[in-house]
Amino acid sequence: MSSLLRAPRECASWSWELDDYAPPGLESALSVAARMSGVLHEHGLLVPGALEWHWYVDGVGGIGVTTRLSLQGPLDDPDLPGRLLAARPVGFPDAQVAELLVSGHGTWLDAAGEERHEHRLVELTVSPDPLGLSADLAVHHDIWGHFDFRGFPHPDVEKHNAPRLAAALQALDTLLGVAAEPGEPTYFGRAEGHGIRTPDIIDGRGPDLTDLL
């Protein structure tokens, strides 16, 4: 594993509303997660290893319980929905699964082009909300943009990684039949198109964000 700095909030995120792509519900959400993670796997960005989710109760909201389940097969395994529901907290028999986070590791390239692995290089979430399926992708590291978290340019790191992320996002747009919407900006950056927006440059440097790392 590498020693990449990770921001506590996303540097950029993208979302897809999937009403026209798949119906709501847990089985559908897992099927979509399988297809999306397959695209990310093809681009070396995500090898799924576990699912994490919160529980909620209709009319009450979140109940403060989070569950993590190691994957023993593919995300579209027909037995997986039952395994998720079998993990329902016993004190909340009406609890439902909230957003599903697909966690795992991905590959990034350093300035010399050497491959390195990082846990949660990208974060994929799919919501089985009964009102409509949706999905989000977020990144928390500085390797996708022109500057590192200290504000120094790192063009070789950007050159090796930003195009891979852009290609994966374009492939997801094609898969889902809808263009991703950029997520809300955070202290650490914002999405622009299929990449990260370049911040204001002062004397050749970007902002130093290490005070909140």
Side-chain angles (χ1 to χ4, degrees):
M1 289 293 181
S2 73
S3 57
L4 281 181
L5 291 177
R6 178 183 174 86
R9 294 287 309 280
E10 60 269 23
C11 302
S13 63
W14 297 264
S15 63
W16 295 264
E17 296 297 329
L18 303 177
D19 293 345
D20 296 330
Y21 180 72
L26 181 57
E27 291 185 14
S28 180
L30 288 168
S31 177
V32 170
R35 279 171 267 171
M36 293 183 72
S37 62
V39 170
L40 295 169
H41 192 179
E42 289 175 2
H43 289 81
L45 301 181
L46 176 62
V47 179
L51 283 171
E52 299 178 26
W53 66 94
H54 303 296
W55 295 91
Y56 74 94
V57 174
D58 284 336
V60 176
I63 59 174
V65 177
T66 301
T67 301
R68 183 181 188 277
L69 181 69
S70 296
L71 291 173
Q72 299 176 352
L75 285 164
D76 53 3
D77 184 334
D79 293 331
L80 189 55
R83 292 183 63 203
L84 267 65
L85 295 176
R88 178 184 283 122
V90 294
F92 300 90
D94 297 325
Q96 301 296 319
V97 175
E99 286 188 344
L100 295 163
L101 168 66
V102 184
S103 65
H105 72 269
T107 300
W108 67 282
L109 285 74
D110 63 19
E114 294 292 327
E115 292 188 355
R116 300 180 180 273
H117 298 300
E118 185 73 17
H119 183 56
R120 291 194 178 182
L121 185 69
V122 301
E123 290 191 345
L124 172 65
T125 56
V126 180
S127 172
D129 192 305
L131 297 180
L133 210 66
S134 62
D136 295 89
L137 186 76
V139 294
H140 290 252
H141 301 95
D142 60 11
I143 60 173
W144 316 107
H146 189 65
F147 299 99
D148 65 19
F149 285 139
R150 298 170 299 163
F152 291 106
H154 55 183
D156 290 334
V157 173
E158 180 189 22
K159 177 182 67 177
H160 291 317
N161 296 286
R164 299 170 58 236
L165 176 62
L169 288 166
Q170 290 166 357
L172 288 172
D173 285 352
T174 300
L175 170 73
L176 302 171
V178 61
E181 292 290 336
E184 294 294 323
T186 72
Y187 181 77
F188 300 96
R190 65 183 302 172
E192 184 173 74
H194 292 119
I196 293 181
R197 182 177 182 179
T198 300
D200 294 336
I201 302 172
I202 301 176
D203 296 329
R205 290 187 58 181
D208 185 345
L209 306 175
T210 55
D211 56 323
L212 292 187
L213 292 180

